[in-house]
PDB file of all heavy atoms in Angstrom:
ATOM      1  N   GLY M   1     106.763 101.970  92.392  1.00  0.00           N
ATOM      2  CA  GLY M   1     106.444 100.809  93.222  1.00  0.00           C
ATOM      3  C   GLY M   1     107.226 100.766  94.508  1.00  0.00           C
ATOM      4  O   GLY M   1     107.825 101.793  94.940  1.00  0.00           O
ATOM      5  N   TRP M   2     107.262  99.586  95.074  1.00  0.00           N
ATOM      6  CA  TRP M   2     107.877  99.339  96.368  1.00  0.00           C
ATOM      7  C   TRP M   2     108.734  98.091  96.344  1.00  0.00           C
ATOM      8  O   TRP M   2     108.311  97.056  95.845  1.00  0.00           O
ATOM      9  CB  TRP M   2     106.808  99.212  97.454  1.00  0.00           C
ATOM     10  CG  TRP M   2     106.008 100.474  97.625  1.00  0.00           C
ATOM     11  CD1 TRP M   2     104.863 100.838  96.988  1.00  0.00           C
ATOM     12  CD2 TRP M   2     106.344 101.574  98.507  1.00  0.00           C
ATOM     13  NE1 TRP M   2     104.457 102.065  97.393  1.00  0.00           N
ATOM     14  CE2 TRP M   2     105.334 102.535  98.320  1.00  0.00           C
ATOM     15  CE3 TRP M   2     107.357 101.816  99.432  1.00  0.00           C
ATOM     16  CZ2 TRP M   2     105.317 103.742  99.055  1.00  0.00           C
ATOM     17  CZ3 TRP M   2     107.365 102.999 100.113  1.00  0.00           C
ATOM     18  CH2 TRP M   2     106.347 103.937  99.922  1.00  0.00           C
ATOM     19  N   TYR M   3     109.911  98.217  96.968  1.00  0.00           N
ATOM     20  CA  TYR M   3     110.788  97.117  97.228  1.00  0.00           C
ATOM     21  C   TYR M   3     110.982  97.068  98.762  1.00  0.00           C
ATOM     22  O   TYR M   3     110.698  98.028  99.455  1.00  0.00           O
ATOM     23  CB  TYR M   3     112.127  97.274  96.535  1.00  0.00           C
ATOM     24  CG  TYR M   3     112.111  96.970  95.060  1.00  0.00           C
ATOM     25  CD1 TYR M   3     111.405  97.739  94.153  1.00  0.00           C
ATOM     26  CD2 TYR M   3     112.862  95.875  94.568  1.00  0.00           C
ATOM     27  CE1 TYR M   3     111.416  97.431  92.794  1.00  0.00           C
ATOM     28  CE2 TYR M   3     112.876  95.590  93.246  1.00  0.00           C
ATOM     29  CZ  TYR M   3     112.142  96.344  92.337  1.00  0.00           C
ATOM     30  OH  TYR M   3     112.141  96.061  91.032  1.00  0.00           O
ATOM     31  N   ARG M   4     111.493  95.979  99.233  1.00  0.00           N
ATOM     32  CA  ARG M   4     111.805  95.882 100.659  1.00  0.00           C
ATOM     33  C   ARG M   4     113.084  95.102 100.904  1.00  0.00           C
ATOM     34  O   ARG M   4     113.457  94.244 100.062  1.00  0.00           O
ATOM     35  CB  ARG M   4     110.652  95.276 101.471  1.00  0.00           C
ATOM     36  CG  ARG M   4     110.358  93.822 101.136  1.00  0.00           C
ATOM     37  CD  ARG M   4     109.092  93.368 101.866  1.00  0.00           C
ATOM     38  NE  ARG M   4     108.750  91.959 101.561  1.00  0.00           N
ATOM     39  CZ  ARG M   4     107.620  91.395 101.943  1.00  0.00           C
ATOM     40  NH1 ARG M   4     106.709  92.089 102.666  1.00  0.00           N
ATOM     41  NH2 ARG M   4     107.373  90.125 101.646  1.00  0.00           N
ATOM     42  N   GLN M   5     113.738  95.417 102.038  1.00  0.00           N
ATOM     43  CA  GLN M   5     114.963  94.747 102.377  1.00  0.00           C
ATOM     44  C   GLN M   5     114.959  94.434 103.847  1.00  0.00           C
ATOM     45  O   GLN M   5     114.931  95.345 104.691  1.00  0.00           O
ATOM     46  CB  GLN M   5     116.187  95.623 102.018  1.00  0.00           C
ATOM     47  CG  GLN M   5     117.500  94.943 102.216  1.00  0.00           C
ATOM     48  CD  GLN M   5     118.635  95.731 101.572  1.00  0.00           C
ATOM     49  OE1 GLN M   5     118.550  96.893 101.322  1.00  0.00           O
ATOM     50  NE2 GLN M   5     119.750  95.020 101.324  1.00  0.00           N
ATOM     51  N   ALA M   6     114.958  93.166 104.169  1.00  0.00           N
ATOM     52  CA  ALA M   6     115.050  92.695 105.527  1.00  0.00           C
ATOM     53  C   ALA M   6     116.514  92.590 105.935  1.00  0.00           C
ATOM     54  O   ALA M   6     117.385  92.471 105.082  1.00  0.00           O
ATOM     55  CB  ALA M   6     114.346  91.335 105.676  1.00  0.00           C
ATOM     56  N   PRO M   7     116.839  92.626 107.216  1.00  0.00           N
ATOM     57  CA  PRO M   7     118.213  92.550 107.676  1.00  0.00           C
ATOM     58  C   PRO M   7     118.925  91.297 107.109  1.00  0.00           C
ATOM     59  O   PRO M   7     118.359  90.175 107.217  1.00  0.00           O
ATOM     60  CB  PRO M   7     118.092  92.514 109.173  1.00  0.00           C
ATOM     61  CG  PRO M   7     116.794  93.152 109.493  1.00  0.00           C
ATOM     62  CD  PRO M   7     115.899  92.819 108.365  1.00  0.00           C
ATOM     63  N   GLY M   8     120.076  91.499 106.536  1.00  0.00           N
ATOM     64  CA  GLY M   8     120.837  90.402 106.038  1.00  0.00           C
ATOM     65  C   GLY M   8     120.380  89.805 104.721  1.00  0.00           C
ATOM     66  O   GLY M   8     120.909  88.809 104.256  1.00  0.00           O
ATOM     67  N   LYS M   9     119.367  90.435 104.104  1.00  0.00           N
ATOM     68  CA  LYS M   9     118.828  89.931 102.871  1.00  0.00           C
ATOM     69  C   LYS M   9     118.927  90.977 101.768  1.00  0.00           C
ATOM     70  O   LYS M   9     119.187  92.158 102.023  1.00  0.00           O
ATOM     71  CB  LYS M   9     117.384  89.503 103.046  1.00  0.00           C
ATOM     72  CG  LYS M   9     117.217  88.357 104.026  1.00  0.00           C
ATOM     73  CD  LYS M   9     115.773  87.856 104.057  1.00  0.00           C
ATOM     74  CE  LYS M   9     115.629  86.640 104.963  1.00  0.00           C
ATOM     75  NZ  LYS M   9     114.239  86.131 104.980  1.00  0.00           N
ATOM     76  N   GLN M  10     118.715  90.521 100.534  1.00  0.00           N
ATOM     77  CA  GLN M  10     118.778  91.457  99.434  1.00  0.00           C
ATOM     78  C   GLN M  10     117.455  92.229  99.305  1.00  0.00           C
ATOM     79  O   GLN M  10     116.480  91.870  99.910  1.00  0.00           O
ATOM     80  CB  GLN M  10     119.011  90.706  98.122  1.00  0.00           C
ATOM     81  CG  GLN M  10     117.857  89.772  97.712  1.00  0.00           C
ATOM     82  CD  GLN M  10     118.176  89.011  96.424  1.00  0.00           C
ATOM     83  OE1 GLN M  10     119.318  88.918  95.988  1.00  0.00           O
ATOM     84  NE2 GLN M  10     117.161  88.499  95.800  1.00  0.00           N
ATOM     85  N   ARG M  11     117.512  93.304  98.537  1.00  0.00           N
ATOM     86  CA  ARG M  11     116.332  94.131  98.294  1.00  0.00           C
ATOM     87  C   ARG M  11     115.467  93.423  97.242  1.00  0.00           C
ATOM     88  O   ARG M  11     115.946  93.111  96.140  1.00  0.00           O
ATOM     89  CB  ARG M  11     116.705  95.520  97.812  1.00  0.00           C
ATOM     90  CG  ARG M  11     115.562  96.482  97.769  1.00  0.00           C
ATOM     91  CD  ARG M  11     116.039  97.879  97.416  1.00  0.00           C
ATOM     92  NE  ARG M  11     116.991  98.428  98.387  1.00  0.00           N
ATOM     93  CZ  ARG M  11     117.461  99.684  98.322  1.00  0.00           C
ATOM     94  NH1 ARG M  11     117.072 100.481  97.345  1.00  0.00           N
ATOM     95  NH2 ARG M  11     118.328 100.093  99.230  1.00  0.00           N
ATOM     96  N   ASP M  12     114.216  93.198  97.583  1.00  0.00           N
ATOM     97  CA  ASP M  12     113.310  92.448  96.709  1.00  0.00           C
ATOM     98  C   ASP M  12     112.069  93.266  96.382  1.00  0.00           C
ATOM     99  O   ASP M  12     111.604  94.092  97.165  1.00  0.00           O
ATOM    100  CB  ASP M  12     112.856  91.150  97.379  1.00  0.00           C
ATOM    101  CG  ASP M  12     113.953  90.138  97.527  1.00  0.00           C
ATOM    102  OD1 ASP M  12     114.839  90.060  96.624  1.00  0.00           O
ATOM    103  OD2 ASP M  12     113.972  89.417  98.525  1.00  0.00           O
ATOM    104  N   LEU M  13     111.527  92.954  95.201  1.00  0.00           N
ATOM    105  CA  LEU M  13     110.315  93.615  94.770  1.00  0.00           C
ATOM    106  C   LEU M  13     109.119  93.230  95.653  1.00  0.00           C
ATOM    107  O   LEU M  13     108.998  92.052  96.025  1.00  0.00           O
ATOM    108  CB  LEU M  13     110.038  93.256  93.323  1.00  0.00           C
ATOM    109  CG  LEU M  13     108.765  93.828  92.657  1.00  0.00           C
ATOM    110  CD1 LEU M  13     109.031  94.098  91.183  1.00  0.00           C
ATOM    111  CD2 LEU M  13     107.569  92.929  92.803  1.00  0.00           C
ATOM    112  N   VAL M  14     108.276  94.192  95.978  1.00  0.00           N
ATOM    113  CA  VAL M  14     107.019  93.937  96.673  1.00  0.00           C
ATOM    114  C   VAL M  14     105.859  94.112  95.720  1.00  0.00           C
ATOM    115  O   VAL M  14     105.071  93.180  95.519  1.00  0.00           O
ATOM    116  CB  VAL M  14     106.840  94.865  97.881  1.00  0.00           C
ATOM    117  CG1 VAL M  14     105.486  94.632  98.553  1.00  0.00           C
ATOM    118  CG2 VAL M  14     107.992  94.729  98.860  1.00  0.00           C
ATOM    119  N   ALA M  15     105.776  95.284  95.131  1.00  0.00           N
ATOM    120  CA  ALA M  15     104.675  95.551  94.191  1.00  0.00           C
ATOM    121  C   ALA M  15     105.084  96.758  93.304  1.00  0.00           C
ATOM    122  O   ALA M  15     105.741  97.661  93.798  1.00  0.00           O
ATOM    123  CB  ALA M  15     103.388  95.873  94.906  1.00  0.00           C
ATOM    124  N   ILE M  16     104.706  96.712  92.052  1.00  0.00           N
ATOM    125  CA  ILE M  16     104.902  97.815  91.131  1.00  0.00           C
ATOM    126  C   ILE M  16     103.651  98.075  90.360  1.00  0.00           C
ATOM    127  O   ILE M  16     102.788  97.200  90.200  1.00  0.00           O
ATOM    128  CB  ILE M  16     106.098  97.581  90.189  1.00  0.00           C
ATOM    129  CG1 ILE M  16     105.907  96.282  89.405  1.00  0.00           C
ATOM    130  CG2 ILE M  16     107.408  97.617  90.893  1.00  0.00           C
ATOM    131  CD1 ILE M  16     106.948  96.059  88.307  1.00  0.00           C
ATOM    132  N   ILE M  17     103.566  99.324  89.861  1.00  0.00           N
ATOM    133  CA  ILE M  17     102.404  99.698  89.071  1.00  0.00           C
ATOM    134  C   ILE M  17     102.887 100.614  87.929  1.00  0.00           C
ATOM    135  O   ILE M  17     103.757 101.460  88.134  1.00  0.00           O
ATOM    136  CB  ILE M  17     101.334 100.424  89.929  1.00  0.00           C
ATOM    137  CG1 ILE M  17     100.071 100.689  89.127  1.00  0.00           C
ATOM    138  CG2 ILE M  17     101.888 101.710  90.537  1.00  0.00           C
ATOM    139  CD1 ILE M  17      98.897 101.088  89.995  1.00  0.00           C
ATOM    140  N   THR M  18     102.352 100.397  86.763  1.00  0.00           N
ATOM    141  CA  THR M  18     102.759 101.213  85.617  1.00  0.00           C
ATOM    142  C   THR M  18     101.872 102.468  85.575  1.00  0.00           C
ATOM    143  O   THR M  18     100.817 102.517  86.236  1.00  0.00           O
ATOM    144  CB  THR M  18     102.585 100.449  84.290  1.00  0.00           C
ATOM    145  OG1 THR M  18     101.179 100.238  84.057  1.00  0.00           O
ATOM    146  CG2 THR M  18     103.313  99.118  84.324  1.00  0.00           C
ATOM    147  N   ARG M  19     102.275 103.388  84.731  1.00  0.00           N
ATOM    148  CA  ARG M  19     101.491 104.609  84.597  1.00  0.00           C
ATOM    149  C   ARG M  19     100.089 104.255  84.089  1.00  0.00           C
ATOM    150  O   ARG M  19      99.121 104.931  84.462  1.00  0.00           O
ATOM    151  CB  ARG M  19     102.201 105.563  83.647  1.00  0.00           C
ATOM    152  CG  ARG M  19     101.499 106.878  83.468  1.00  0.00           C
ATOM    153  CD  ARG M  19     102.291 107.838  82.630  1.00  0.00           C
ATOM    154  NE  ARG M  19     101.573 109.077  82.409  1.00  0.00           N
ATOM    155  CZ  ARG M  19     101.515 110.065  83.292  1.00  0.00           C
ATOM    156  NH1 ARG M  19     102.134 109.920  84.463  1.00  0.00           N
ATOM    157  NH2 ARG M  19     100.820 111.147  83.018  1.00  0.00           N
ATOM    158  N   GLY M  20      99.969 103.204  83.324  1.00  0.00           N
ATOM    159  CA  GLY M  20      98.691 102.785  82.782  1.00  0.00           C
ATOM    160  C   GLY M  20      97.859 101.992  83.764  1.00  0.00           C
ATOM    161  O   GLY M  20      96.665 101.714  83.531  1.00  0.00           O
ATOM    162  N   GLY M  21      98.464 101.633  84.924  1.00  0.00           N
ATOM    163  CA  GLY M  21      97.673 100.951  85.967  1.00  0.00           C
ATOM    164  C   GLY M  21      97.883  99.464  86.081  1.00  0.00           C
ATOM    165  O   GLY M  21      97.270  98.829  86.939  1.00  0.00           O
ATOM    166  N   SER M  22      98.758  98.891  85.287  1.00  0.00           N
ATOM    167  CA  SER M  22      99.039  97.461  85.446  1.00  0.00           C
ATOM    168  C   SER M  22      99.872  97.222  86.687  1.00  0.00           C
ATOM    169  O   SER M  22     100.796  97.979  86.965  1.00  0.00           O
ATOM    170  CB  SER M  22      99.786  96.951  84.204  1.00  0.00           C
ATOM    171  OG  SER M  22      98.991  97.077  83.026  1.00  0.00           O
ATOM    172  N   THR M  23      99.547  96.164  87.415  1.00  0.00           N
ATOM    173  CA  THR M  23     100.222  95.875  88.682  1.00  0.00           C
ATOM    174  C   THR M  23     100.905  94.520  88.667  1.00  0.00           C
ATOM    175  O   THR M  23     100.496  93.604  87.953  1.00  0.00           O
ATOM    176  CB  THR M  23      99.208  95.912  89.841  1.00  0.00           C
ATOM    177  OG1 THR M  23      98.183  94.942  89.601  1.00  0.00           O
ATOM    178  CG2 THR M  23      98.572  97.295  89.963  1.00  0.00           C
ATOM    179  N   THR M  24     101.937  94.418  89.489  1.00  0.00           N
ATOM    180  CA  THR M  24     102.655  93.191  89.731  1.00  0.00           C
ATOM    181  C   THR M  24     102.947  93.076  91.194  1.00  0.00           C
ATOM    182  O   THR M  24     103.402  94.074  91.788  1.00  0.00           O
ATOM    183  CB  THR M  24     103.956  93.105  88.918  1.00  0.00           C
ATOM    184  OG1 THR M  24     103.693  93.243  87.522  1.00  0.00           O
ATOM    185  CG2 THR M  24     104.719  91.853  89.203  1.00  0.00           C
ATOM    186  N   TYR M  25     102.659  91.931  91.770  1.00  0.00           N
ATOM    187  CA  TYR M  25     102.936  91.677  93.182  1.00  0.00           C
ATOM    188  C   TYR M  25     103.811  90.460  93.366  1.00  0.00           C
ATOM    189  O   TYR M  25     103.684  89.487  92.593  1.00  0.00           O
ATOM    190  CB  TYR M  25     101.630  91.435  93.947  1.00  0.00           C
ATOM    191  CG  TYR M  25     100.653  92.588  93.973  1.00  0.00           C
ATOM    192  CD1 TYR M  25      99.683  92.734  92.987  1.00  0.00           C
ATOM    193  CD2 TYR M  25     100.710  93.529  95.007  1.00  0.00           C
ATOM    194  CE1 TYR M  25      98.789  93.792  93.021  1.00  0.00           C
ATOM    195  CE2 TYR M  25      99.804  94.578  95.054  1.00  0.00           C
ATOM    196  CZ  TYR M  25      98.839  94.698  94.053  1.00  0.00           C
ATOM    197  OH  TYR M  25      97.945  95.756  94.085  1.00  0.00           O
ATOM    198  N   VAL M  26     104.663  90.476  94.374  1.00  0.00           N
ATOM    199  CA  VAL M  26     105.330  89.262  94.740  1.00  0.00           C
ATOM    200  C   VAL M  26     104.287  88.304  95.360  1.00  0.00           C
ATOM    201  O   VAL M  26     103.302  88.770  95.997  1.00  0.00           O
ATOM    202  CB  VAL M  26     106.459  89.546  95.756  1.00  0.00           C
ATOM    203  CG1 VAL M  26     105.950  90.064  97.081  1.00  0.00           C
ATOM    204  CG2 VAL M  26     107.374  88.342  95.928  1.00  0.00           C
ATOM    205  N   ASP M  27     104.461  87.042  95.156  1.00  0.00           N
ATOM    206  CA  ASP M  27     103.457  86.067  95.580  1.00  0.00           C
ATOM    207  C   ASP M  27     103.141  86.163  97.068  1.00  0.00           C
ATOM    208  O   ASP M  27     101.965  85.990  97.463  1.00  0.00           O
ATOM    209  CB  ASP M  27     103.937  84.616  95.265  1.00  0.00           C
ATOM    210  CG  ASP M  27     103.886  84.306  93.784  1.00  0.00           C
ATOM    211  OD1 ASP M  27     103.244  85.064  93.051  1.00  0.00           O
ATOM    212  OD2 ASP M  27     104.476  83.314  93.404  1.00  0.00           O
ATOM    213  N   SER M  28     104.101  86.463  97.891  1.00  0.00           N
ATOM    214  CA  SER M  28     103.889  86.453  99.334  1.00  0.00           C
ATOM    215  C   SER M  28     102.970  87.547  99.839  1.00  0.00           C
ATOM    216  O   SER M  28     102.485  87.485 100.969  1.00  0.00           O
ATOM    217  CB  SER M  28     105.230  86.543 100.053  1.00  0.00           C
ATOM    218  OG  SER M  28     105.890  87.733  99.700  1.00  0.00           O
ATOM    219  N   VAL M  29     102.712  88.590  99.009  1.00  0.00           N
ATOM    220  CA  VAL M  29     101.848  89.670  99.466  1.00  0.00           C
ATOM    221  C   VAL M  29     100.537  89.704  98.656  1.00  0.00           C
ATOM    222  O   VAL M  29      99.651  90.502  98.969  1.00  0.00           O
ATOM    223  CB  VAL M  29     102.542  91.043  99.367  1.00  0.00           C
ATOM    224  CG1 VAL M  29     103.863  91.028 100.083  1.00  0.00           C
ATOM    225  CG2 VAL M  29     102.675  91.504  97.939  1.00  0.00           C
ATOM    226  N   GLN M  30     100.432  88.859  97.653  1.00  0.00           N
ATOM    227  CA  GLN M  30      99.217  88.827  96.821  1.00  0.00           C
ATOM    228  C   GLN M  30      98.005  88.628  97.690  1.00  0.00           C
ATOM    229  O   GLN M  30      97.980  87.731  98.532  1.00  0.00           O
ATOM    230  CB  GLN M  30      99.345  87.707  95.760  1.00  0.00           C
ATOM    231  CG  GLN M  30      98.239  87.693  94.765  1.00  0.00           C
ATOM    232  CD  GLN M  30      98.437  88.736  93.665  1.00  0.00           C
ATOM    233  OE1 GLN M  30      99.562  88.995  93.254  1.00  0.00           O
ATOM    234  NE2 GLN M  30      97.376  89.313  93.248  1.00  0.00           N
ATOM    235  N   GLY M  31      96.996  89.449  97.519  1.00  0.00           N
ATOM    236  CA  GLY M  31      95.765  89.352  98.303  1.00  0.00           C
ATOM    237  C   GLY M  31      95.788  90.091  99.619  1.00  0.00           C
ATOM    238  O   GLY M  31      94.737  90.280 100.242  1.00  0.00           O
ATOM    239  N   ARG M  32      96.957  90.522 100.058  1.00  0.00           N
ATOM    240  CA  ARG M  32      97.086  91.266 101.310  1.00  0.00           C
ATOM    241  C   ARG M  32      97.458  92.726 101.075  1.00  0.00           C
ATOM    242  O   ARG M  32      97.008  93.604 101.820  1.00  0.00           O
ATOM    243  CB  ARG M  32      98.129  90.615 102.199  1.00  0.00           C
ATOM    244  CG  ARG M  32      97.833  89.177 102.590  1.00  0.00           C
ATOM    245  CD  ARG M  32      98.798  88.686 103.658  1.00  0.00           C
ATOM    246  NE  ARG M  32     100.185  88.667 103.175  1.00  0.00           N
ATOM    247  CZ  ARG M  32     101.167  89.309 103.770  1.00  0.00           C
ATOM    248  NH1 ARG M  32     100.975  90.060 104.813  1.00  0.00           N
ATOM    249  NH2 ARG M  32     102.406  89.197 103.279  1.00  0.00           N
ATOM    250  N   PHE M  33      98.273  92.983 100.069  1.00  0.00           N
ATOM    251  CA  PHE M  33      98.742  94.331  99.755  1.00  0.00           C
ATOM    252  C   PHE M  33      98.057  94.823  98.483  1.00  0.00           C
ATOM    253  O   PHE M  33      97.786  94.042  97.553  1.00  0.00           O
ATOM    254  CB  PHE M  33     100.237  94.343  99.557  1.00  0.00           C
ATOM    255  CG  PHE M  33     101.083  94.071 100.757  1.00  0.00           C
ATOM    256  CD1 PHE M  33     100.527  93.627 101.946  1.00  0.00           C
ATOM    257  CD2 PHE M  33     102.448  94.250 100.717  1.00  0.00           C
ATOM    258  CE1 PHE M  33     101.301  93.392 103.060  1.00  0.00           C
ATOM    259  CE2 PHE M  33     103.252  94.031 101.823  1.00  0.00           C
ATOM    260  CZ  PHE M  33     102.682  93.581 103.000  1.00  0.00           C
ATOM    261  N   THR M  34      97.800  96.133  98.443  1.00  0.00           N
ATOM    262  CA  THR M  34      97.249  96.771  97.266  1.00  0.00           C
ATOM    263  C   THR M  34      98.042  98.006  96.916  1.00  0.00           C
ATOM    264  O   THR M  34      98.208  98.888  97.769  1.00  0.00           O
ATOM    265  CB  THR M  34      95.776  97.141  97.452  1.00  0.00           C
ATOM    266  OG1 THR M  34      95.025  95.967  97.840  1.00  0.00           O
ATOM    267  CG2 THR M  34      95.186  97.716  96.201  1.00  0.00           C
ATOM    268  N   ILE M  35      98.506  98.056  95.700  1.00  0.00           N
ATOM    269  CA  ILE M  35      99.260  99.263  95.238  1.00  0.00           C
ATOM    270  C   ILE M  35      98.332 100.129  94.391  1.00  0.00           C
ATOM    271  O   ILE M  35      97.496  99.622  93.640  1.00  0.00           O
ATOM    272  CB  ILE M  35     100.516  98.833  94.439  1.00  0.00           C
ATOM    273  CG1 ILE M  35     101.427 100.046  94.216  1.00  0.00           C
ATOM    274  CG2 ILE M  35     100.150  98.148  93.134  1.00  0.00           C
ATOM    275  CD1 ILE M  35     102.810  99.651  93.695  1.00  0.00           C
ATOM    276  N   SER M  36      98.488 101.445  94.548  1.00  0.00           N
ATOM    277  CA  SER M  36      97.686 102.383  93.762  1.00  0.00           C
ATOM    278  C   SER M  36      98.546 103.584  93.470  1.00  0.00           C
ATOM    279  O   SER M  36      99.564 103.803  94.096  1.00  0.00           O
ATOM    280  CB  SER M  36      96.437 102.810  94.518  1.00  0.00           C
ATOM    281  OG  SER M  36      96.767 103.405  95.774  1.00  0.00           O
ATOM    282  N   ARG M  37      98.123 104.368  92.422  1.00  0.00           N
ATOM    283  CA  ARG M  37      98.930 105.524  92.051  1.00  0.00           C
ATOM    284  C   ARG M  37      98.059 106.703  91.668  1.00  0.00           C
ATOM    285  O   ARG M  37      96.863 106.552  91.366  1.00  0.00           O
ATOM    286  CB  ARG M  37      99.880 105.154  90.934  1.00  0.00           C
ATOM    287  CG  ARG M  37      99.334 105.379  89.477  1.00  0.00           C
ATOM    288  CD  ARG M  37      98.403 104.275  89.035  1.00  0.00           C
ATOM    289  NE  ARG M  37      98.069 104.400  87.631  1.00  0.00           N
ATOM    290  CZ  ARG M  37      96.819 104.475  87.189  1.00  0.00           C
ATOM    291  NH1 ARG M  37      95.795 104.513  88.063  1.00  0.00           N
ATOM    292  NH2 ARG M  37      96.568 104.531  85.898  1.00  0.00           N
ATOM    293  N   ASP M  38      98.643 107.867  91.720  1.00  0.00           N
ATOM    294  CA  ASP M  38      98.018 109.107  91.257  1.00  0.00           C
ATOM    295  C   ASP M  38      98.998 109.721  90.265  1.00  0.00           C
ATOM    296  O   ASP M  38     100.043 110.258  90.654  1.00  0.00           O
ATOM    297  CB  ASP M  38      97.762 110.012  92.441  1.00  0.00           C
ATOM    298  CG  ASP M  38      97.003 111.279  92.054  1.00  0.00           C
ATOM    299  OD1 ASP M  38      97.240 111.801  90.952  1.00  0.00           O
ATOM    300  OD2 ASP M  38      96.203 111.755  92.860  1.00  0.00           O
ATOM    301  N   ASN M  39      98.657 109.626  89.004  1.00  0.00           N
ATOM    302  CA  ASN M  39      99.585 110.086  87.985  1.00  0.00           C
ATOM    303  C   ASN M  39      99.838 111.594  88.087  1.00  0.00           C
ATOM    304  O   ASN M  39     100.956 112.053  87.872  1.00  0.00           O
ATOM    305  CB  ASN M  39      99.038 109.772  86.586  1.00  0.00           C
ATOM    306  CG  ASN M  39      99.095 108.266  86.293  1.00  0.00           C
ATOM    307  OD1 ASN M  39      99.867 107.565  86.913  1.00  0.00           O
ATOM    308  ND2 ASN M  39      98.312 107.826  85.352  1.00  0.00           N
ATOM    309  N   ALA M  40      98.819 112.369  88.376  1.00  0.00           N
ATOM    310  CA  ALA M  40      98.967 113.805  88.431  1.00  0.00           C
ATOM    311  C   ALA M  40      99.919 114.202  89.535  1.00  0.00           C
ATOM    312  O   ALA M  40     100.697 115.176  89.384  1.00  0.00           O
ATOM    313  CB  ALA M  40      97.594 114.464  88.640  1.00  0.00           C
ATOM    314  N   LYS M  41      99.874 113.508  90.649  1.00  0.00           N
ATOM    315  CA  LYS M  41     100.727 113.814  91.777  1.00  0.00           C
ATOM    316  C   LYS M  41     102.054 113.074  91.742  1.00  0.00           C
ATOM    317  O   LYS M  41     102.920 113.355  92.568  1.00  0.00           O
ATOM    318  CB  LYS M  41     100.013 113.487  93.080  1.00  0.00           C
ATOM    319  CG  LYS M  41      98.745 114.336  93.350  1.00  0.00           C
ATOM    320  CD  LYS M  41      98.129 113.912  94.666  1.00  0.00           C
ATOM    321  CE  LYS M  41      96.864 114.734  94.934  1.00  0.00           C
ATOM    322  NZ  LYS M  41      96.201 114.353  96.242  1.00  0.00           N
TER     323      LYS M  41
END
């Protein structure tokens, strides 16, 4: 997945995805960001 850190702030979760395809998004990016994965790669 992806985390982000703005200047002067802590590192926070943006979005994660499991090997099985389950996803979790922080509320502020829901509907705007999409996470995807390629297990083979």
Side-chain angles (χ1 to χ4, degrees):
W2 295 90
Y3 282 67
R4 67 187 178 187
Q5 187 169 18
K9 296 187 177 181
Q10 67 181 17
R11 189 176 298 186
D12 291 325
L13 180 146
V14 177
I16 56 174
I17 186 167
T18 69
R19 184 174 176 80
S22 297
T23 59
T24 300
Y25 296 91
V26 67
D27 287 346
S28 60
V29 308
Q30 187 79 37
R32 299 188 296 123
F33 292 10
T34 303
I35 191 169
S36 59
R37 90 282 189 236
D38 185 324
N39 288 339
K41 295 181 179 179

